[in-house]
Amino acid sequence: MEIYACRAKRSYKRSFGLRMLGPALGLLVWIAPVYAQEVLRIPYVADIGTFDPDNGFETGAMSAINNVYEGLVEYEPGSTKIVGLLAQSWEISDDGLTYTFHLVDGVQFHDGTPFNAAAVINSFERRRDRGLIQSYVLANVKDMRAPDDSTVVLTLGHPQPSLLDALSSPWGPKIISPVALAEHDNGDFATTWLNEHAVGTGPFKLAEFKRGQRYLLERNDNYWGDKPFFRQIQISVVPDISQQILQLQAGAIDAVPINYPFAQLTSLPEGVEITAAPSMIPYDLFVKPNSPLDDAGVRKAVLTAINPALWVKDAFGEFASLSKSVYPNVMLDPVNPIRFPTDFEAAKAAIAKHGAVNLVIGLHSAAPSYSRIADLIIAQLALIGVKATAYVLPSGAAYTLKDDPNPPDLLLTIAGPDAAHPDSQAKAFFTKDAPLNFFGRTLPQADAIVDQAGQVTDVKERDALYERAGQMYFDAGIVIPLVDVNDVVVHAKGLKDLGLRPVNPPGNIDFATVRWGP
């Protein structure tokens, strides 16, 4: 029996640092800084589709949702270490089939409903059994019991060493007030109501939801843990990054969480600084079947030209590193990193011998980093005689490429996983039935190794198997890993403890930990 115990409360630092500048200005100096310090103003580039933690894949709004709702466990800020949240400790049976969670006492939902084991079961069953988008997360949980108010027992259909990672995922199961679920269930399991409302246990409450305009979070003064620094989080929808930058410089917002142009990071205006952290943001190229890269000689030549070591600094400066494998570097540190060929003369000769090679690159997003990478790759390919072009795919088109009669030869995308376990990467992007296997390509030998690895609890042995399978996907020309890019937030000077987590989508500041400080 393995026993795990960890902190059940988030720890927050508070520092107000108010100073009186003089008796005559005392009252003014007191009022203005207090308001400024207690209100955090954050822009989103995209609107929130749904606030329902079980029925969507929000990315930009993850920090808002995960500060209103909480799960049993979470990843520690800046780490992939799993720590307790609403569960203060847990045990795993020797056969890996039974997980027993011991819950934190004295927790209430925002509506005053007591938090207990029955509430956990109610929320978990809603996610698993109601046909919601993220039901797959709990698909292997065959039985849920609440022997008492402070204990939850989950029994699995088969051993799943990745379960705790799935529960810790930013998209992992959250606990919703059972009273709110019952009151607003109009035959749809409260999905309509939860699109724009929320009742969780988190350090913030959803106070206002103005679709397409603004969102307001208010500090939960009855929070079971230490209260966060900020009294209020004001979230605006500002799709244009240049407008966000102007607002930051004018002091109208406190941060530009994502998409600040990398080329401008070395010359930031006064009063602005950067917080950067390792992240699971790998840029990969996925290759369609029956492309010119099916020819081994062409593929080797193309790999020589697009070797990210040749352009990573130009694209991202100091804020990216070469991908070592098909898994994010933070997730898995391979014994034998993937290597790109380097003989340019041989690459030129191979293309000349083969004849004209034309490649079309589909960009998953119009974000500046995609076009920057594509431009650099196109220029590199021209050096060996390969003509390449790129275009931005329509919204959502990347997910239907396997049915597209005329797909691009290559898809450039961020292949970020749901959780920090390698299984969440392999079974999201590479295996036969992976939901993000963009071109529907299969490699049964590698898939079998992934299945084997998914049952292994020893991390070293597990990672060796995943690395082997990943090398096979690369060698088969299914995926080409390029670079892992840091999570980079540009913000007003003095904003501290942003709580960035490697698994979270970029720019998701943890409102529970962030504060003003010296």
Side-chain angles (χ1 to χ4, degrees), residues 128 134-142 156-158 160 163:
R128 184 191 64 178
Q134 296 192 53
S135 61
Y136 69 91
V137 174
L138 297 174
N140 187 36
V141 178
K142 301 307 178 185
L156 308 185
H158 57 78
Q160 183 186 343
L163 177 68

Side-chain angles (χ1 to χ4, degrees), residues 161-182:
S162 64
L163 177 68
L164 285 175
D165 284 277
L167 297 181
S168 301
S169 165
W171 295 276
K174 307 299 186 294
I175 316 304
I176 307 170
S177 165
V179 171
L181 287 175

Side-chain angles (χ1 to χ4, degrees), residues 291-337:
S291 81
L293 273 67
D294 281 359
D295 182 291
V298 170
R299 184 165 70 249
K300 184 176 181 179
V302 167
L303 289 174
T304 303
I306 68 172
N307 182 352
L310 301 172
W311 50 262
V312 61
K313 293 297 182 184
D314 289 334
F316 299 105
E318 62 183 281
F319 299 105
S321 57
L322 300 178
S323 298
K324 297 179 181 179
S325 72
V326 301
Y327 309 94
N329 295 338
V330 177
M331 174 188 288
L332 189 151
D333 188 12
V335 175
N336 296 301

Side-chain angles (χ1 to χ4, degrees), residues 99-157:
Y99 288 66
T100 302
F101 295 92
H102 304 284
L103 307 181
V104 177
D105 293 326
V107 179
Q108 286 189 343
F109 290 96
H110 298 157
D111 60 3
T113 303
F115 164 77
N116 55 29
V120 175
I121 301 296
N122 190 60
S123 287
F124 276 28
E125 287 180 342
R126 175 183 188 263
R127 173 173 285 219
R128 184 191 64 178
D129 301 336
R130 305 307 183 192
L132 304 184
I133 289 175
Q134 296 192 53
S135 61
Y136 69 91
V137 174
L138 297 174
N140 187 36
V141 178
K142 301 307 178 185
D143 183 63
M144 309 179 192
R145 294 187 297 111
D148 54 57
D149 282 350
S150 61
T151 308
V152 171
V153 180
L154 305 181
T155 303
L156 308 185

